[in-house]
Amino acid sequence: MAEKDLVDNIEAASAAAEAIDTASATGADGGAAPSPADELEVPRDTLAVIRRMWGTATGEHWRFAVVVACICLYTAASIAAPAYCAYLIDYLWSHIQRAFAAGETFRVTWETGGREVMVFLGIWTVAWIFYTIQSFTMASFAERLNLKLRRELSDKLNRLPLAFYDRRKPGEVISRATNDLDKVSEVMQRGILSLLTAIGSVTGALIMMFRYNYVLACVFLAFAAVAVAMTRAVSKKTLVLAAEQQRAVGILTGHVEEAYSGRTVIKAFNQEQASSERIHAATQELAERMRATDFVTNVVAPMVRCLVRLSQVILAVLGVRFLIGGQLTVGTLQAFFQYVNTAAEPLTQFSLTVNTMQSALAAVERVYDILDEPEIEPDPVAPALPASPVRGRVAFEHVRFGYDPARPLMRDVSFVAKPGQKVAIVGATGAGKTTLINLLMRFYEIDGGRITLDGVDTHAMRRADLRRNFGMVLQDAWLREGTIAENIAYGRPDATREEVIQAAKTAQVDFFVRTMPHGYDTLLENDAENISQGQRQLLTIARVLLANPAILILDEATSSVDTRTEKAIVRAMEHLTYGRTSFVIAHRLSTIVDSDLILVMDHGTIIEQGTHEELLAAGGAYAELYLSQFAS
Amino acid sequence: MRTLLRFLKPYRLQTAVVLVSLAVNLAGVLLVPTILANMINNGVSSRDMDYLMGQGALMLAAAVVSGAGAFACNYFCADLSSKVGRDIRNAVYDASLAFSGSGFEQFGTGSMITRTLGDVNVIQQAITMTIQMMLPVPFAAVIGIVLASSIDPQMGALLACVIAVVGVIALVTVRRAAAIFEKLQTFIDRMNVRLRETITGVRVIRAFGKERAERERLDDAFSSFAKNAIRVNMLFATLDCSAFLIMNLCEVAILWLGGNRVGVHAMQIASISACVEYAMLILLFIMMAQICALTLPRALVCLERCRAVIDHEPSIADPALPEKPGRGAEKEGEAVVHFSCASFCFADADEDTLHRLNFICRRGTTTAIIGQTGSGKSTIAKLILRFHDVSEGHVSLLGTDVRNLSQHDLRERVSYVPQKAWLFSGTVAENLRYGKPDATDEELWHALDVAQSGFVRELPGGLASRVAQGGTNFSGGQRQRLSIARALVKPADLYIFDDSFSALDFKTDAALRRALAEEVADAAVFIIAQRINTILNADQIIVLKDGCIAGLGTHDELMRTCPVYQEIARSQLKAEELEGLAAEDSAQKGGA
């Protein structure tokens, strides 16, 4: 078996190793198994993707050129080696036979074969050098390309409209940037290499075989054709099986998620036995699918090898006859067998390589799809500036808006929030209360009319200038990895520790922070799971307090926090709203009743507005809502 | 490791078959070049055609047997790993069923899902890889050295030396590489975390105008990952290339030594190539094993995570000799649930969550609990159902301490509507029959009517309508009503409603409570509530504050005597409504 096979096999092994990597990486992400169904994916336009990747790789082209050159030279050397080995063996054999004929024994010395052995080592060393150069060049080529794509992606993320994020699950975008690109680097790393070397060595080996003996070469070709046909058939089967396995994984995942989330119900209704049976049936189904997929995927290589060995039996019998007949020598016959191995081993990998390359290209294509997503319109060249200091008068003037412009939600909405006023937004879940926030902050652009801040059209401002004047406290209290102090000072990284503590005190969270192991330097990790929802919300209040914006957007806590914290939140929000224009998504009766303006929302638009008394008197939707939910 | 053996034990025979077929396969693989060498040697010396054909037949046999061995090994390996995977999954899931509430929370739902799915996948793949890539090493080494020695002892010795040297180098490399691999994982995690943050926090980031800062953080994570990934790639490249080099040297050594040995009649010319082939094969297996070994530590971690679940001692277990709960007198006023001096404290907490509770729920009456979020209301329900155990005092059902009953018998008597209405995928009917598998359609419709779930009638499929996982194809309020109906189908002595009316509007809430009152008149009812108007008419209201009972009585009594209750009432209702309420309430009382 030649070195080439080794290389191929190591590649297969490390590919398998990486598959495990990805498996657990995605596993942690909630998505289960590595999806073999991915292999089904085929790029829409292979050539376009390749061309574009070539463009992305600008600056790295020389590396690629080096790699290709090295592969050519390596392949040439590794095809030359067995031929030289044939010569070497025959050379030794003739010396040995001469020695035997003279009744002597034989020893390898520099003159009798030693030099030739060293030349042989030289040929392999040349092959080794080129192989090493291309391995190390390629080791960074793919990751550099990936890094470039990832950077383009992170740049793009800032220019994507909110609509993009609202349409997609976070996991989807994350896996584009991680798993998908990892697949690409794996293929760049190994797929391209093994494909190029395979093409080179198969061609080289076949040429050499035909040079030695065309009868034997034809026999081999016949077997190789059968082997190729079989691998193609099996690889098709593999895709079908992989898809079936993926379905089984999906079913099991569904059952398991459901059972774990509903375990109190299962236990309360004494359904442990039934639930266990349900899961067992799903695991059994999956086990059967996995066995089939595993077997078929792994059977390709032994199958091809077995075929090659059968061909070797015929080749051996025929070959030795040629040897006896003098058409072949010991060396050339053995060299022929080496070429058989060289040409046969890539056959075991071929269909697999093609499949993974296709799926990798499809993965890159998905990344490019994100990069091609429409972007938010750029900020105006001559931006209007908000009044300074901002007073906080916000007005909607005949605003028209719909997430899908063809189906407008708001047709003609107007209202005015005067400086310092409290505006309550009420409505059932799903009535579109966040739509208002989206428009105020220009997370979405309106389709008609205008929104003004102190009389200036917000659309004429730079987004950053506009948003600087708003502070948001949302229910999904987003904190990021970093210390508590860093999180509080998020809007003002230059704030002193005293200012941070002051903000925390006003936000009623100072005491809690002090109970944490490292106080303000406590590291919040993993989506800040180590602190409760209520505390997180208080921290976001402190964050806004420190940034000191003129206008506030608040989402009142509902029931996910305990009472003491809830009280703290109410107090903190009171501090926060003092003297500022505030928009409150209100759940609490007292908040609503006391506000200067109530906006009643339904189906994404404002259906009523006015004060509590006015709206009650009007006897419309608000009155009904109020009576059904808040009174008895 | 011991855990794995435990799961392999039922498949001892199969494991043996895998090992034997692996050995057969490898023997065949190594015999083919041996026989080829014999044929060539014969060809150059005696030119005996019969011998040639005989060896040809032998080679054919070796090829076929080896192929069969490979197929068998492959099949039984796939079978073994998938069965072991299935068994581990089943064991993890079944173990989780016995966990108490806090036992499960200790692991967390997300982690449990990963343990059941992703972790087992890694283990399964590791088993397959071990069989296909690691186990061939010892087999191939032994068979190779034996065959080489049979050609010439010196060749055998050379081969043994090479294998020993390479083996040691491989071990050392694996050790060092494992650390780099582990580090790479932390970079992958960081990349994932930061990406997730950037995406989920996009509104806040933009609101604060921090796009650039976040982008830099992200790029930083990308760069450090790339740097480390390149290191790992370099490591693999080094492995690759050094293997290549070692093979070259090895081949040359065999050629040189082989030439000498042929020269002294110790072996024949064609056997040199056979020895080269043995060496290449064995080195190849060592290299593959090396890469495979890098992934094993992770599989061991996953195995350990599964073991932790399987071996977790449930903190709540059935008594050795469970008492049977009394059938109960089934008469009004009988004590169904009795809390006497019951306290509960979470294992990791300093203070009691519930402190010395005393109360009785009687048949035919409604007991309501009100209190602020976090005051421990839901925990009371969990104590009755024995999802937790009291740390002091007793909770008894129909006169028997719940700890002396089997969990099955206990829960047979109690019907429960959890705070989070959770439905299972299947049909509406399947969900409703959860507590009484033989319930008739009439019973189901009746329960649905009581639970104000008229909407089921309007569904195209009626009772056979599909329910998606978790019931997500129904609205929150519909889920809650279905979950109430499910509880009503189950016959029980006690019905617990844990904050089950919160997603209902006032009208539905009122209608439901009216219908409910008749429905469960001969059982005890226990309602946990947030909204005060849900419980105005309860026979007794327990006011919970910081885990203690701050008041116990009817609404009127509490309004007079209990400041905590008054405060809750005031925060939810405005003064005039309170008055109106009081009036309405007394009017109702008078009417009754």
Side-chain angles (χ1 to χ4, degrees):
Chain A
M1 193 175 283
E3 276 78 352
K4 184 63 209 48
D5 311 344
L6 169 94
V7 172
D8 270 347
N9 277 292
I10 291 176
E11 274 154 12
S14 35
E18 297 215 344
I20 287 203
D21 270 14
T22 358
S24 41
T26 46
D29 211 37
S35 70
D38 281 355
E39 311 279 340
L40 276 168
E41 293 164 341
V42 172
R44 291 187 303 272
D45 185 350
T46 311
L47 273 181
V49 179
I50 293 174
R51 255 201 301 275
R52 198 161 170 188
M53 275 178 87
W54 183 249
T56 308
T58 314
E60 305 282 327
H61 287 165
W62 66 271
R63 277 177 202 276
F64 198 74
V66 167
V67 167
V68 171
C70 284
I71 288 180
C72 291
L73 293 168
Y74 156 75
T75 314
S78 60
I79 289 296
Y84 189 81
C85 189
Y87 162 75
L88 175 62
I89 296 263
D90 287 340
Y91 181 82
L92 283 176
W93 184 228
S94 64
H95 274 276
I96 292 169
Q97 276 179 316
R98 218 172 305 147
F100 285 176
E104 294 164 12
T105 57
F106 167 82
R107 261 197 92 71
V108 178
T109 62
W110 185 251
E111 277 71 33
T112 58
R115 194 173 40 219
E116 281 72 16
V117 171
M118 284 304 138
V119 170
F120 179 63
L121 178 61
I123 295 176
W124 269 132
T125 309
V126 169
W128 175 74
I129 288 171
F130 288 123
Y131 185 78
T132 307
I133 295 175
Q134 63 92 354
S135 295
F136 280 87
T137 316
M138 210 56 177
S140 57
F141 177 80
E143 282 306 333
R144 278 164 194 271
L145 185 69
N146 262 356
L147 182 58
K148 222 165 167 182
L149 281 171
R150 286 193 171 120
R151 286 200 161 141
E152 279 181 28
L153 209 56
S154 72
D155 185 37
K156 179 80 183 184
L157 287 179
N158 283 333
R159 282 180 279 119
L160 285 168
L162 256 294
F164 172 86
Y165 294 95
D166 292 345
R167 242 186 359 236
R168 282 179 177 74
K169 286 183 189 154
E172 211 182 309
V173 186
I174 294 172
S175 79
R176 294 283 167 283
T178 53
N179 298 349
D180 274 2
L181 284 180
D182 281 343
K183 211 189 282 177
V184 176
S185 84
E186 183 192 311
V187 167
M188 298 283 295
Q189 207 88 0
R190 309 178 205 292
I192 294 186
L193 285 189
S194 57
L195 200 66
L196 290 181
T197 30
I199 293 171
S201 31
V202 170
T203 331
L206 282 175
I207 292 173
M208 296 305 286
M209 284 190 224
F210 273 100
R211 277 191 51 190
Y212 283 135
N213 190 303
Y214 63 91
V215 178
L216 294 186
C218 285
V219 171
F220 172 75
L221 263 188
F223 273 94
V226 175
V228 169
M230 283 175 76
T231 51
R232 295 208 61 146
V234 172
S235 83
K236 270 196 195 118
K237 179 83 180 151
T238 311
L239 292 183
V240 175
L241 287 173
E244 274 175 24
Q245 176 181 327
Q246 204 46 32
R247 236 183 332 269
V249 169
I251 291 171
L252 176 64
T253 310
H255 282 334
V256 165
E257 279 175 3
E258 177 173 89
Y260 283 145
S261 309
R263 63 187 302 279
T264 34
V265 179
I266 292 172
K267 286 176 78 103
F269 284 83
N270 276 330
Q271 292 292 313
E272 287 98 330
Q273 186 65 33
S275 161
S276 167
E277 278 162 18
R278 203 173 176 180
I279 299 284
H280 286 209
T283 57
Q284 173 64 30
E285 174 70 18
L286 178 62
E288 279 163 23
R289 297 277 150 260
M290 280 186 149
R291 183 182 60 194
T293 317
D294 250 30
F295 175 68
V296 173
T297 313
N298 292 332
V299 88
V300 178
M303 199 178 71
V304 172
R305 290 195 189 113
C306 186
L307 262 178
V308 170
R309 274 191 203 104
L310 291 179
S311 80
Q312 281 178 339
V313 175
I314 296 177
L315 293 173
V317 174
L318 287 177
V320 175
R321 279 167 176 262
F322 284 123
L323 178 71
I324 294 169
Q327 289 103 317
L328 283 171
T329 63
V330 177
T332 49
L333 179 55
Q334 287 185 333
F336 189 92
F337 271 90
Q338 283 214 27
Y339 287 123
V340 167
N341 281 328
T342 310
E345 200 58 28
L347 295 182
T348 63
Q349 309 275 329
F350 188 72
S351 345
L352 190 74
T353 311
V354 170
N355 282 349
T356 50
M357 285 192 76
Q358 276 186 335
S359 95
L361 285 175
V364 188
E365 197 173 43
R366 282 197 296 269
V367 174
Y368 283 129
D369 283 347
I370 292 189
L371 292 177
D372 291 343
E373 283 278 334
E375 300 182 359
I376 48 175
E377 55 182 287
D379 279 323
V381 192
L385 283 175
S388 172
V390 168
R391 294 173 50 240
R393 181 181 189 277
V394 177
F396 272 51
E397 299 170 12
H398 308 290
V399 168
R400 187 158 52 81
F401 171 76
Y403 289 102
D404 173 6
R407 283 184 301 160
L409 295 170
M410 295 184 181
R411 288 173 193 278
D412 181 15
V413 166
S414 301
F415 68 85
V416 178
K418 298 192 183 102
Q421 275 193 341
K422 177 154 80 177
V423 180
I425 304 164
V426 299
T429 323
K433 286 169 287 191
T434 46
T435 306
L436 217 55
I437 300 177
N438 285 336
L439 300 184
L440 280 172
M441 297 295 281
R442 276 185 70 197
F443 289 146
Y444 284 80
E445 301 289 350
I446 53 179
D447 301 323
R450 51 181 217 148
I451 301 173
T452 60
L453 172 61
D454 292 343
V456 184
D457 188 345
T458 57
H459 191 253
M461 299 179 195
R462 285 203 311 216
R463 290 183 183 79
D465 290 336
L466 168 71
R467 289 172 186 162
R468 192 167 299 134
N469 299 301
F470 286 85
M472 290 194 315
V473 178
L474 303 181
Q475 277 212 37
D476 135 53
W478 180 83
L479 296 173
R480 62 157 220 202
E481 190 190 59
T483 66
I484 290 184
E486 280 167 10
N487 267 292
I488 294 178
Y490 190 62
R492 268 189 54 205
D494 56 335
T496 63
R497 180 53 63 94
E498 285 67 40
E499 289 175 305
V500 169
I501 295 177
Q502 191 48 51
K505 278 188 175 150
T506 319
Q508 319 281 323
V509 76
D510 177 60
F511 174 75
F512 161 74
V513 175
R514 284 177 198 285
T515 63
M516 297 291 283
H518 300 99
Y520 284 88
D521 296 316
T522 306
L523 214 51
L524 301 178
E525 274 175 291
N526 209 354
D527 273 346
E529 270 166 13
N530 44 350
I531 55 172
S532 78
Q533 182 68 24
Q535 313 293 3
R536 289 170 59 163
Q537 198 157 29
L538 289 178
L539 286 176
T540 63
I541 292 176
R543 183 169 71 188
V544 169
L545 273 168
L546 192 60
N548 196 23
I551 306 158
L552 285 173
I553 294 171
L554 302 176
D555 198 347
E556 279 184 349
T558 43
S559 59
S560 57
V561 291
D562 65 85
T563 323
R564 202 181 305 155
T565 318
E566 186 174 339
K567 271 188 195 145
I569 293 175
V570 171
R571 248 196 323 269
M573 284 200 178
E574 274 165 12
H575 279 291
L576 196 55
T577 50
Y578 184 76
R580 300 175 215 258
T581 313
S582 52
F583 293 86
V584 186
I585 294 180
H587 305 286
R588 203 172 286 106
L589 191 66
S590 53
T591 315
I592 299 170
V593 174
D594 297 345
S595 27
D596 302 295
L597 177 66
I598 298 170
L599 303 175
V600 186
M601 298 206 63
D602 193 26
H603 292 104
T605 188
I606 297 172
I607 51 169
E608 284 182 329
Q609 53 174 297
T611 63
H612 176 66
E613 283 72 24
E614 288 166 8
L615 289 173
L616 268 193
Y622 176 79
E624 197 181 317
L625 188 77
Y626 174 79
L627 288 175
S628 75
Q629 281 201 349
F630 302 109
S632 65
Chain B
M1 220 42 224
R2 197 169 302 154
T3 321
L4 188 62
L5 287 182
R6 189 160 90 199
F7 282 100
L8 279 175
K9 212 172 168 192
Y11 306 111
R12 258 177 300 192
L13 186 65
Q14 194 161 356
T15 315
V17 172
V18 167
L19 294 180
V20 170
S21 51
L22 183 66
V24 168
N25 170 29
L26 288 170
V29 167
L30 290 165
L31 270 174
V32 169
T34 316
I35 299 169
L36 177 66
N38 287 345
M39 287 163 83
I40 298 178
N41 287 332
N42 172 259
V44 294
S45 49
S46 69
R47 310 189 171 189
D48 175 352
M49 277 300 161
D50 289 341
Y51 178 79
L52 181 64
M53 294 318 283
Q55 288 290 303
L58 202 60
M59 192 168 164
L60 181 68
V64 169
V65 167
S66 149
F71 275 84
C73 174
N74 200 357
Y75 177 81
F76 287 109
C77 167
D79 190 53
L80 182 68
S81 74
S82 63
K83 278 184 178 152
V84 170
R86 175 197 66 196
D87 292 353
I88 298 180
R89 289 198 168 98
N90 288 347
V92 168
Y93 183 73
D94 290 349
S96 85
L97 282 174
F99 288 4
S100 68
S102 43
F104 191 80
E105 275 148 30
Q106 205 179 308
F107 293 105
T109 308
S111 165
M112 282 300 292
I113 291 174
T114 313
R115 283 169 210 242
T116 324
L117 302 170
D119 283 359
V120 178
N121 263 339
V122 176
I123 296 170
Q124 239 173 287
Q125 272 168 323
I127 293 174
T128 309
M129 284 181 50
T130 307
I131 293 175
Q132 308 232 342
M133 297 188 188
M134 304 264 282
L135 287 184
V137 173
F139 283 103
V142 170
I143 299 174
I145 292 173
V146 167
L147 285 176
S149 306
S150 74
I151 290 171
D152 176 52
Q154 285 198 15
M155 275 292 166
L158 174 65
L159 199 58
C161 286
V162 171
I163 292 170
V165 171
V166 173
V168 170
I169 296 176
L171 273 180
V172 174
T173 327
V174 164
R175 285 248 165 120
R176 292 185 45 190
I180 301 182
F181 242 61
E182 215 165 275
K183 219 168 146 199
L184 186 67
Q185 190 55 42
T186 64
F187 284 114
I188 293 176
D189 293 344
R190 188 191 293 173
M191 207 159 70
N192 274 313
V193 166
R194 291 206 175 155
L195 262 168
R196 182 171 290 279
E197 275 182 2
T198 315
I199 292 166
T200 55
V202 63
R203 281 183 162 77
V204 179
I205 292 167
R206 292 190 181 183
F208 280 100
K210 300 282 282 188
E211 291 97 330
R212 183 173 301 169
E214 290 302 325
R215 194 191 137 189
E216 276 164 17
R217 269 163 57 88
L218 204 50
D219 282 349
D220 174 59
F222 288 155
S223 306
S224 43
F225 169 79
K227 225 160 80 192
N228 233 57
I230 291 175
R231 277 183 65 192
V232 169
N233 288 340
M234 293 283 185
L235 180 84
F236 274 117
T238 316
L239 271 181
D240 250 22
C241 298
S242 47
F244 199 153
L245 188 65
I246 290 172
M247 294 206 172
N248 293 346
L249 295 174
C250 180
E251 192 174 351
V252 167
I254 291 174
L255 275 174
W256 194 296
L257 179 70
N260 284 341
R261 299 299 292 165
V262 175
V264 294
H265 296 284
M267 59 189 267
Q268 290 182 288
I269 183 74
S271 301
I272 297 178
S273 294
C275 289
V276 169
E277 187 118 341
Y278 303 151
M280 296 301 126
L281 252 173
I282 294 164
L283 289 184
L284 160 77
F285 283 128
I286 293 178
M287 289 302 304
M288 291 204 302
Q290 204 171 355
I291 289 163
C292 171
L294 284 178
T295 64
L296 285 189
R298 148 150 329 128
L300 285 179
V301 171
C302 292
L303 192 63
E304 173 55 30
R305 282 156 52 90
C306 291
R307 190 203 58 77
V309 175
I310 295 166
D311 290 351
H312 179 86
E313 204 61 53
S315 57
I316 291 180
D318 282 340
L321 289 168
E323 291 176 30
K324 282 283 165 199
R327 184 51 264 178
E330 303 230 357
K331 61 173 192 233
E332 193 156 331
E334 176 197 16
V336 176
V337 172
H338 188 179
F339 272 64
S340 53
C341 281
S343 297
F344 175 73
C345 179
F346 280 103
D348 51 356
D350 303 329
E351 276 179 50
D352 283 354
T353 302
L354 295 172
H355 188 64
R356 298 179 74 79
L357 303 188
N358 285 297
F359 67 88
I360 296 173
C361 302
R362 296 184 187 282
R363 199 182 286 282
T365 70
T366 298
T367 304
I369 293 226
I370 195 159
Q372 294 141 343
T373 324
S375 55
K377 289 172 304 193
S378 294
T379 313
I380 296 184
K382 289 186 175 148
L383 288 180
I384 302 175
L385 284 159
R386 234 189 137 208
F387 291 149
H388 297 307
D389 268 344
V390 287
S391 35
E392 270 173 68
H394 304 277
V395 175
S396 45
L397 181 88
L398 295 165
T400 318
D401 190 313
V402 292
R403 283 168 295 185
N404 294 335
L405 297 169
S406 78
Q407 293 170 67
H408 185 270
D409 288 344
L410 164 68
R411 290 171 195 152
E412 224 22 68
R413 296 303 185 81
V414 181
S415 195
Y416 172 59
V417 184
Q419 194 167 10
K420 189 169 176 235
W422 185 261
L423 303 176
F424 293 88
S425 52
T427 65
V428 171
E430 278 167 20
N431 270 286
L432 294 180
R433 290 205 174 94
Y434 216 55
K436 190 183 180 195
D438 56 351
T440 63
D441 281 1
E442 285 71 45
E443 288 177 87
L444 301 189
W445 283 118
H446 177 68
L448 285 170
D449 288 339
V450 173
Q452 310 297 309
S453 306
F455 66 90
V456 175
R457 284 187 204 281
E458 284 148 38
L459 295 176
L463 284 175
S465 304
R466 301 301 305 171
V467 177
Q469 184 189 329
T472 42
N473 54 338
F474 292 96
S475 77
Q478 289 175 332
R479 274 208 297 277
Q480 212 159 46
R481 280 176 276 169
L482 286 176
S483 144
I484 291 171
R486 173 176 65 194
L488 291 177
V489 171
K490 177 178 175 180
D493 295 299
L494 173 71
Y495 289 86
I496 301 176
F497 298 89
D498 187 352
D499 198 11
S500 312
F501 309 101
S502 56
L504 309 182
D505 61 59
F506 175 72
K507 249 182 284 174
T508 318
D509 183 353
L512 196 155
R513 273 182 291 120
R514 232 181 342 266
L516 207 56
E518 296 168 28
E519 183 64 20
V520 293
D522 54 353
V525 177
F526 188 76
I527 297 178
I528 295 167
Q530 299 261 17
R531 293 208 311 236
I532 217 159
N533 47 29
T534 308
I535 56 157
L536 287 174
N537 301 322
D539 299 290
Q540 64 172 344
I541 299 172
I542 298 169
V543 183
L544 209 59
K545 185 173 197 270
D546 300 332
C548 298
I549 293 182
L552 199 160
T554 64
H555 172 71
D556 291 337
E557 288 162 10
L558 290 169
M559 279 312 281
R560 279 195 303 275
T561 57
C562 179
V564 181
Y565 189 76
Q566 289 163 5
E567 195 189 322
I568 295 171
R570 219 168 290 133
S571 76
Q572 292 190 6
L573 313 161
K574 293 204 94 181
E576 60 259 50
E577 289 149 16
L578 282 175
E579 283 160 23
L581 206 84
E584 184 193 315
D585 196 40
S586 48
Q588 261 185 15
K589 280 271 158 66

